[in-house]
């Protein structure tokens, strides 16, 4: 098996496990907190892609997403 493929597969499995564990932690949150966390995650991912992988783009996207998610649930 290709070493590069194995590394990517391991990273993908670790990412999926981390997401599932994180979502399990949302069980005690109210709706507004869940929307804020979801907005931050989606915004962070969008900022990462649109910012070309920069930390500033990721942080800005997460902040914007958290704000929008928080305001949507008002």
């Amino acid at each position: 098996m290709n070493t590069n493929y194995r590394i990517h597969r391991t990273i993908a499995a670790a990412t999926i496990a981390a997401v599932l564990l994180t979502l399990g932690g949302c069980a005690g949150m109210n709706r507004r907190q869940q929307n804020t966390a979801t907005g931050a995650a989606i915004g962070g991912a969008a900022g990462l892609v649109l910012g070309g992988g920069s930390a500033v783009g990721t942080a800005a996207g997460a902040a914007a997403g958290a704000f929008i998610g928080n305001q949507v649930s008002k």
Side-chain angles (χ1 to χ4, degrees), residues 6-69:
R6 289 174 60 196
I7 291 171
H8 286 349
R9 188 172 174 157
T10 302
I11 291 172
T15 302
I16 290 170
V19 167
L20 291 176
L21 289 172
T22 301
L23 291 176
C26 294
M29 292 181 171
N30 64 34
R31 186 73 170 160
R32 189 168 191 182
Q33 291 168 331
Q34 288 176 348
N35 286 346
T36 301
T38 302
I42 293 170
L48 177 70
V49 171
L50 296 175
S54 73
V56 174
T58 304
F67 178 76
I68 292 169

